Amino acid sequence: MATGAVWLSAALWIQTSTRAEVEEVLDARLAEAANMVSSLISDHRIAVAQAGDQMLPIPMSREASYSKQLSCQIWSLDGRMVGRSDSAPDVELTHVANEGYSRSVIDGEPWRVYTLVNKELGVRVMVGDSLAVRDGLVRDVLAGLLFPAALVLPVLAVILWISVARGLAPLDQLANTLRIRSSSDLSPLPDGPAPREIKPVRRALNTLFSRVASARDVERNFTTYAAHELKTPLSGLRTQAQVMRLSDDPEVRDRALAAIERSVDRTDRMVRQLLELAAVERSEEDSEQTDLTFLMHETVADLRVLAKEREVTLETAAPDKAVWMRTSPFLLQAALRNVIENAIHASPRGARVTVILDGTTVVIRDEGEGIPPELLDRVQTRFTRGPGSGANGSGLGLSILASAMQRLNGEVKFVQGQDGGQTVELKLTP
């Protein structure tokens, strides 16, 4: 349908442009013929002065069939016809006395006329042709141009139809292959001969299948681990609740209640970190101008209650002025909070955790046992606990850190202190 519209537009354009060009050429022929007759009069080849009352015949060129249709009249300036061609009508071709082109109607037939005034000889030369003849000539020219195109168009349409059908056949085969696949089948598409245009599509689909399969495996493992990790404290809660119900010993009941509080704290932290991890991985927040100094102090202030409960001193070192950077405050705060919280839990009572802002790098130091070298490669994997994570550790803090820093295009570096403790450097890219 689109091809047909293009062809129709082309035909209309050809008709319009061809008519305009033919009209221009024919008008030029009229002027040329009028100038030729005027030259013959000037050269005395047509003796107008000796004609008297006789009508002078005007010979017209017979070189082309169209020339036979030209009509010429010679009128004196006082309004007397002194000569005309065989095909010219008996009445005046045009009543326009001025030199140039004009239109007239003779016996109901429209004419195109060119008038040339020769004041030296006292004559007016008129050369005209019938517009009906012109229209016939234009139709002949258009027929010569459009008739071959009309014959070729069906053939071209068939060729296009076959070519498009053959070109789309591999896509149809690929669509059928995908249509019959199970929703759980994420295996790569089978290799085999394929057109050059289909190979990038197949590679892209295989890449997509691989990424979806990896994401599904991660989510499946995440669900399995989360269910297992939540099962342990929930089972402990049930057990301690049964102990409290069955025992009348106040000391036993107090120990059971303390165990329940620890289980609730662990479960609360795990659920909070699970939700935060999901929020970080879903985050599509745009970056904005952020004051790193203010964000660091705000994050530390939120964790001072936890540090006080753990009897850990929380110190900060930052410039007195604002340090501005374009980043995502949500992702950066999530990374900072989890590193500082892990440092507090990993530090013994009476220890100190220091948070330092140096340019666009945040350094967190603690005085705990540090991360063993054998765990460094997988410490940012979900549910991987270090030796200092304690009973409330969920193994999610550093995985939240890794996910947030990846989205911030930042870098995480773990440095083991010479006197013990762990240093974590968060390098942000401006």
Side-chain angles (χ1 to χ4, degrees):
M1 187 173 182
T3 305
V6 171
W7 273 92
L8 179 59
S9 301
L12 294 175
W13 177 78
I14 291 173
Q15 179 181 0
T16 303
S17 60
T18 301
R19 180 177 294 276
E21 292 179 5
V22 170
E23 292 280 354
E24 184 178 353
V25 171
L26 295 182
D27 282 348
R29 289 292 303 275
L30 291 179
E32 180 184 354
N35 282 285
M36 180 191 68
V37 173
S38 180
S39 298
L40 291 175
I41 296 174
S42 299
D43 294 342
H44 303 291
R45 297 183 184 182
I46 299 179
V48 175
Q50 290 80 23
D53 294 332
Q54 295 180 358
M55 186 67 62
L56 294 173
I58 302 174
M60 299 300 295
S61 174
R62 301 290 180 175
E63 295 177 359
S65 60
Y66 172 70
S67 300
K68 299 178 183 180
Q69 308 298 330
L70 291 180
S71 299
C72 180
Q73 293 178 345
I74 303 174
W75 291 77
S76 63
L77 295 181
D78 58 6
R80 182 173 55 88
M81 182 187 291
V82 297
R84 69 183 181 88
S85 63
D86 294 338
S87 59
D90 296 332
V91 298
E92 191 175 15
L93 283 173
T94 180
H95 297 293
V96 178
N98 296 329
E99 185 171 320
Y101 294 101
S102 61
R103 288 179 179 268
S104 62
V105 178
I106 302 175
D107 296 333
E109 183 179 359
W111 285 69
R112 178 74 166 170
V113 181
Y114 181 78
T115 302
L116 177 65
V117 179
N118 192 329
K119 293 182 179 180
E120 295 180 359
L121 299 176
V123 295
R124 183 182 294 109
V125 179
M126 300 179 184
V127 180
D129 60 0
S130 171
L131 292 183
V133 176
R134 282 195 174 196
D135 291 340
L137 180 61
V138 172
R139 284 194 298 270
D140 292 341
V141 173
L142 291 175
L145 291 173
L146 298 179
F147 183 71
L151 293 178
V152 171
L153 181 59
V155 178
L156 181 60
V158 172
I159 294 175
L160 286 174
W161 182 273
I162 296 174
S163 300
V164 171
R166 293 185 61 183
L168 293 178
L171 281 177
D172 290 338
Q173 295 175 1
L174 180 61
N176 291 330
T177 301
L178 295 175
R179 189 178 298 112
I180 62 177
R181 284 170 70 100
S182 170
S183 59
S184 60
D185 184 5
L186 296 177
S187 60
L189 294 172
D191 292 331
R196 183 177 55 186
E197 296 80 5
I198 299 299
K199 290 182 179 179
V201 178
R202 188 166 62 185
R203 286 197 298 268
L205 285 173
N206 285 338
T207 302
L208 176 63
F209 290 154
S210 176
R211 292 168 58 186
V212 172
S214 299
R216 187 179 65 177
D217 291 341
V218 169
E219 294 302 324
R220 183 180 297 166
N221 294 336
F222 177 80
T223 303
T224 302
Y225 287 138
H228 179 268
E229 293 296 325
L230 287 173
K231 182 180 179 180
T232 301
L234 291 177
S235 298
L237 283 172
R238 181 182 180 85
T239 301
Q240 297 302 327
Q242 290 175 345
V243 169
M244 288 186 63
R245 185 177 60 184
L246 297 176
S247 176
D248 295 328
D249 187 344
E251 185 176 350
V252 173
R253 293 172 66 90
D254 289 342
R255 285 198 301 268
L257 183 59
I260 289 176
E261 290 177 347
R262 288 193 299 270
S263 295
V264 169
D265 290 341
R266 178 182 177 186
T267 305
D268 175 71
R269 185 185 180 198
M270 180 180 296
V271 171
R272 176 170 50 82
Q273 288 188 318
L274 285 172
L275 294 175
E276 188 170 34
L277 178 61
V280 167
E281 293 186 342
R282 289 197 312 267
S283 176
E284 296 180 358
E285 289 192 3
D286 295 331
S287 58
E288 59 184 67
Q289 286 297 120
T290 304
D291 181 2
L292 301 185
T293 303
F294 175 79
L295 187 139
M296 186 196 77
H297 286 306
E298 183 181 43
T299 306
V300 171
D302 291 340
L303 294 171
R304 287 197 181 277
V305 174
L306 174 64
K308 186 176 180 180
E309 292 176 354
R310 301 281 301 177
E311 298 181 13
V312 173
T313 302
L314 193 54
E315 298 180 352
T316 60
D320 295 332
K321 60 181 181 180
V323 178
W324 293 97
M325 177 182 173
R326 192 166 189 84
T327 186
S328 169
F330 168 73
L331 293 176
L332 180 56
Q333 193 164 42
L336 280 176
R337 181 171 53 252
N338 280 278
V339 177
I340 298 172
E341 187 176 354
N342 274 16
I344 293 173
H345 281 285
S347 299
R349 297 186 181 277
R352 179 176 55 188
V353 173
T354 307
V355 184
I356 304 170
L357 176 62
D358 183 11
T360 58
T361 300
V362 183
V363 181
I364 299 95
R365 294 177 183 156
D366 64 50
E367 298 176 357
E369 299 181 25
I371 301 174
E374 63 271 14
L375 284 181
L376 285 176
D377 293 338
R378 55 189 180 90
V379 71
Q380 299 180 71
T381 305
R382 297 171 181 175
F383 303 108
T384 299
R385 294 191 182 94
S389 59
N392 289 335
S394 62
L396 290 173
L398 294 183
S399 62
I400 295 174
L401 164 68
S403 182
M405 292 299 291
Q406 181 182 8
R407 284 160 174 75
L408 291 172
N409 294 320
E411 179 184 351
V412 181
K413 184 178 180 181
F414 296 92
V415 180
Q416 188 76 33
Q418 295 181 353
D419 300 330
Q422 183 70 49
T423 299
V424 182
E425 297 181 1
L426 310 185
K427 296 183 179 181
L428 304 172
T429 303

